[in-house]
């Protein structure tokens, strides 16, 4: 069955640097991927959606890429700030039935 | 505009007791989801509703879990009887019709269940 993996449980970076988070999937290419941010004790908050025919999507300091050859999505935060510290989740439609399945998340810590 | 509202935020019960969680989605959102999230894991889908119809409940453990969405608005998720392994955060989310393909899911703050 299709799997989605975020291959870093935790990532620590220095303030001002670019954080890059990875989301890999197996088997077939999903029609789209979504990225969410989750703070402790809170529900996930939507950040970006990228479709399989889109190579890149940007929103302010955020950038998402979608490489169907590598079966991978990369999530970048440029000029990172301590306020960016959170868990970032990628999600995809596993079955094509509009059910969103989530990866395990990457916990990002931006060090001042 | 009000977001997705869930209650209670926290619930502590003893095993074998029943528990119920309530969710009020964003007005106008036809699609409603219940997810379960264990510590350090991503949310796992339990059930998805389109209006009042459960269109996917394949991940819902039906021996002890039940859900309903009367009138296609509010929803209730029930566990009876609860087991120790049910301790988790139960998240409700809503979206416009079409689910994740058309845009974002809006999540509530979650209901944290502790089973002793």
């Amino acid at each position: 069955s299709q799997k989605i993996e975020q291959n870093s449980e935790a990532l620590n970076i220095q303030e001002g640097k670019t954080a890059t988070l990875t989301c890999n999937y197996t088997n077939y290419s999903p029609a789209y991927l979504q990225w969410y941010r989750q703070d402790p004790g809170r529900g996930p908050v939507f950040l970006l959606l990228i479709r399989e025919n889109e190579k890149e999507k940007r929103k302010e300091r955020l950038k998402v890429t979608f490489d169907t050859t590598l079966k991978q999505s990369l999530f970048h935060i440029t000029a990172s700030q301590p306020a960016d510290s959170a868990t970032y989740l990628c999600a995809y439609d596993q079955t094509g039935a509009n059910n969103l399945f989530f990866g395990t998340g990457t916990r990002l810590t931006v060090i001042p | 505009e009000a977001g997705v509202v869930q209650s209670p935020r926290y619930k502590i019960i003893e095993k074998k007791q029943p528990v119920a969680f309530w969710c009020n989605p964003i007005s106008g959102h036809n699609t409603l989801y219940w997810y379960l999230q264990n510590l350090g894991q991503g949310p796992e889908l339990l059930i998805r509703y389109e209006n009042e119809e459960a269109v996917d409940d394949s991940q819902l453990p039906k021996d002890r879990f039940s859900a309903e969405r009367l009138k296609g608005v509010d929803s209730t998720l029930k566990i009876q009887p609860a087991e120790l392994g049910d301790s988790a955060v139960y998240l409700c989310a809503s979206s416009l019709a079409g689910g994740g393909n058309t845009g974002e899911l809006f999540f509530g703050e979650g209901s944290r269940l502790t089973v002793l």
Side-chain angles (χ1 to χ4, degrees):
Chain A
S1 62
Q2 178 82 304
K3 283 188 177 181
I4 189 165
E5 295 178 346
Q6 296 184 250
N7 55 5
S8 295
E9 279 193 13
L11 177 65
N12 297 330
I13 65 165
Q14 209 67 36
E15 182 176 5
K17 301 293 186 182
T18 296
T20 298
L21 285 65
T22 304
C23 181
N24 295 298
Y25 57 90
T26 60
N27 301 335
Y28 65 87
S29 177
Y32 60 90
L33 282 164
Q34 296 190 16
W35 284 87
Y36 287 76
R37 168 182 173 142
Q38 187 172 26
D39 291 287
R42 311 294 295 273
V45 175
F46 173 82
L47 296 175
L48 284 166
L49 180 153
I50 185 166
R51 302 190 185 280
E52 62 177 337
N53 61 349
E54 297 175 318
K55 297 293 185 186
E56 181 180 296
K57 186 76 77 73
R58 291 177 183 263
K59 178 183 176 182
E60 299 174 350
R61 294 185 295 111
L62 309 180
K63 184 178 81 171
V64 173
T65 62
F66 196 170
D67 189 325
T68 55
T69 301
L70 295 177
K71 297 185 177 180
Q72 180 180 83
S73 175
L74 298 179
F75 177 82
H76 307 271
I77 305 176
T78 58
S80 61
Q81 305 166 1
D84 295 325
S85 298
T87 295
Y88 291 86
L89 299 156
C90 68
Y92 76 113
D93 181 350
Q94 181 180 24
T95 62
N98 290 331
N99 288 332
L100 212 54
F101 288 82
F102 287 80
T104 55
T106 297
R107 188 174 66 253
L108 174 67
T109 301
V110 180
I111 302 165
Chain B
E1 179 181 321
V4 176
V5 179
Q6 291 187 246
S7 69
R9 284 295 313 276
Y10 305 92
K11 188 73 175 180
I12 300 174
I13 61 172
E14 294 189 346
K15 63 181 180 182
K16 299 185 181 179
Q17 294 300 305
V19 64
F21 305 111
W22 175 80
C23 174
N24 179 238
I26 291 174
S27 177
H29 282 193
N30 296 324
T31 308
L32 184 145
Y33 307 78
W34 282 102
Y35 282 86
L36 174 155
Q37 187 172 28
N38 288 303
L39 189 64
Q41 301 295 313
E44 301 172 30
L45 180 68
L46 290 173
I47 189 169
R48 172 175 142 239
Y49 282 93
E50 292 290 345
N51 298 305
E52 65 273 13
E53 181 182 359
V55 296
D56 189 341
D57 62 356
S58 58
Q59 307 298 318
L60 189 72
K62 298 182 183 63
D63 56 336
R64 297 182 300 106
F65 286 66
S66 65
E68 61 182 11
R69 191 184 184 195
L70 299 176
K71 302 181 180 179
V73 182
D74 295 359
S75 179
T76 303
L77 177 70
K78 298 178 181 177
I79 308 174
Q80 182 171 11
E83 297 179 352
L84 295 176
D86 296 331
S87 296
V89 175
Y90 292 84
L91 292 163
C92 178
S94 70
S95 69
L96 295 170
N101 187 37
T102 57
E104 61 189 285
L105 268 60
F106 294 82
F107 282 86
E109 300 288 52
S111 295
R112 180 178 296 277
L113 173 66
T114 302
V115 182
L116 303 176

